Amino acid sequence: MLLAVTLNPSVDISYHLEHFKINDVNRVSKVKKTAGGKGLNVARVAHLLGVDVLSTGVLGGSLGQYIEQQLDQDQMNHQFLHTNQEARNCIAILHEGMQTEILESGPTLTSEDQVQFLIHFNRLLDQASVVTISGSIVKGFSNDVYGKLIEQAANKQIPVILDTSGQALEVSLRNKSALPYLIKPNISELSQLLDREISGDPEALKSALQDPLFYGIPWIVVSQGADGAFAKHYDNFYKVSIPKIKVENPVGSGDATVAGMAKAIDSEKGGETMLKYGMAAGMLNTMQAQTGYVDATQFDHYVNLVKVQKV
Ligand code: ADP
């Protein structure tokens, strides 16, 4: 079973407007509200791909209840730790071919909430074969909380895919006592992590991924949008090529890629298949208007179109 962690889930609201008027009233009839947060995108895509998934994290209030209702509607299993703090809304306004986003930062939790979540997570781990940890850390939790989750999973020999950025990622990578099994930065996250501009060129990527920051991490998969991915597995490097496809909406592709790779790990496939599953899920997500959604009937077809080449 895949245990998918979202520490700061949201109700994602999208408003479609012909024209977005600043300093004026905007009336909107085309509204969509979904359970959001990167980890819930991972969970949804994995669920659609037939993986047995359990979502967890922390949530509360009426928005928390709404998120759980949405997951129930989609028949997605969840066991969140409940708090008395209201979950957040994230608003995307789609207008004139653009997207303006207003993202609430979410609740501020307490150190006691963190203690309770670590106990809760440790219990859920007993059912898990793979864990995904996605997105930002909820306010109030320590910046090494992902490291603590990884440590608990490592104690039970459960691999963790960590998909986060900035300080949360860096702190986790510096904690060499318990490292994730796989990280999936994109080029801009990689550049931010190494504090220098990294090009998508295989030689530049090869040298970047040999930075001491990455020592001990079995898999690093650098996703490169339409250019596929570049991966490192210990001392081996792979260029992963994908076909040209018609893109509808690329938002959430990284989350779908994580879901595809988790599916491969959950069903004990090898590394090459894992990369192919990740790319296929990412591509399928870009072909849909909805974020974090895939047409699973197309999965095998796209898996077969991905090429993995040792470089
Ligand atoms: P992130 O959303 O984390 O920035 P990417 O944009 O690299 O991640 O996308 C993850 C994966 O989704 C890519 O490796 C690829 O398989 C697929 N993908 C994303 N954008 C495109 C695109 N424009 N065309 C084809 N595949 C894409």
Side-chain angles (χ1 to χ4, degrees):
M1 185 200 72
L2 161 61
L3 182 59
V5 178
T6 317
L7 281 189
N8 201 5
S10 55
V11 175
D12 285 355
I13 304 174
S14 66
Y15 294 142
H16 293 253
L17 293 171
E18 291 270 304
H19 304 290
F20 182 35
K21 294 173 281 182
I22 307 279
N23 200 24
D24 203 343
V25 173
N26 292 273
R27 293 188 194 280
V28 56
S29 54
K30 224 171 145 193
V31 180
K32 197 159 191 310
K33 296 184 185 178
T34 51
K38 283 168 67 67
L40 290 180
N41 291 338
V42 172
R44 190 179 315 101
V45 171
H47 172 72
L48 290 166
L49 294 176
V51 181
D52 180 18
V53 188
L54 180 65
S55 287
T56 191
V58 190
L59 48 69
S62 55
L63 294 179
Q65 278 176 9
Y66 183 81
I67 291 168
E68 290 185 321
Q69 279 165 14
Q70 293 290 305
L71 298 178
D72 288 339
Q73 247 174 45
D74 292 343
Q75 289 166 356
M76 290 169 60
N77 295 326
H78 54 86
Q79 279 189 47
F80 284 87
L81 179 75
H82 293 131
T83 69
N84 55 8
Q85 301 242 16
E86 191 66 66
R88 61 186 178 140
N89 282 314
C90 288
I91 300 172
I93 305 166
L94 304 159
H95 58 101
E96 292 119 347
M98 293 179 282
Q99 178 159 335
T100 301
E101 297 191 16
I102 300 167
L103 310 179
E104 292 180 20
S105 57
T108 302
L109 302 182
T110 63
S111 51
E112 180 53 28
D113 291 326
Q114 175 169 322
V115 170
Q116 290 306 320
F117 182 67
L118 290 172
I119 295 168
H120 178 79
F121 175 77
N122 201 39
R123 211 176 302 126
L124 298 180
L125 271 179
D126 291 332
Q127 310 164 50
S129 56
V130 55
V131 172
T132 58
I133 301 176
S134 309
S136 56
I137 296 172
V138 66
K139 275 195 292 179
F141 277 18
S142 60
N143 65 8
D144 66 346
V145 65
Y146 285 165
K148 293 182 194 298
L149 299 178
I150 293 166
E151 245 170 85
Q152 290 186 343
N155 287 340
K156 299 185 180 184
Q157 275 111 44
I158 302 166
V160 174
I161 302 181
L162 176 65
D163 186 18
T164 185
S165 55
Q167 217 201 3
L169 179 58
E170 191 176 336
V171 169
S172 302
L173 300 187
R174 293 202 188 282
N175 175 9
K176 296 291 179 198
S177 62
L179 288 167
Y181 176 69
L182 188 153
I183 58 170
K184 190 225 69 64
N186 58 27
I187 294 273
S188 81
E189 288 161 348
L190 183 67
S191 301
Q192 188 191 17
L193 198 57
L194 296 177
D195 203 17
R196 61 191 161 92
E197 213 48 53
I198 310 290
S199 81
D201 172 69
E203 283 312 311
L205 283 167
K206 234 181 188 177
S207 110
L209 297 186
Q210 289 178 65
D211 190 281
L213 190 59
F214 301 119
Y215 285 169
I217 302 169
W219 278 100
I220 304 160
V221 180
V222 181
S223 66
Q224 298 178 279
D227 293 331
F230 188 85
K232 174 178 186 283
H233 182 46
Y234 296 115
D235 293 333
N236 296 318
F237 294 88
Y238 302 91
K239 169 98 196 84
V240 192
S241 310
I242 59 174
K244 213 171 162 40
I245 53 168
K246 190 169 173 294
V247 173
E248 186 79 27
N249 172 15
V251 181
S253 303
D255 303 332
T257 295
V258 167
M261 293 191 292
K263 174 181 168 72
I265 296 170
D266 182 55
S267 49
E268 297 179 357
K269 304 280 194 236
E272 187 173 327
T273 304
M274 180 184 77
L275 295 170
K276 289 183 174 180
Y277 276 20
M279 292 299 98
M283 283 188 281
L284 290 179
N285 177 76
T286 70
M287 295 158 90
Q288 301 288 326
Q290 190 184 332
T291 298
Y293 192 84
V294 295
D295 174 1
T297 63
Q298 297 291 309
F299 184 67
D300 290 344
H301 174 69
Y302 282 92
V303 167
N304 289 325
L305 294 176
V306 181
K307 300 271 173 291
V308 178
Q309 185 196 355
K310 198 159 180 278
V311 288

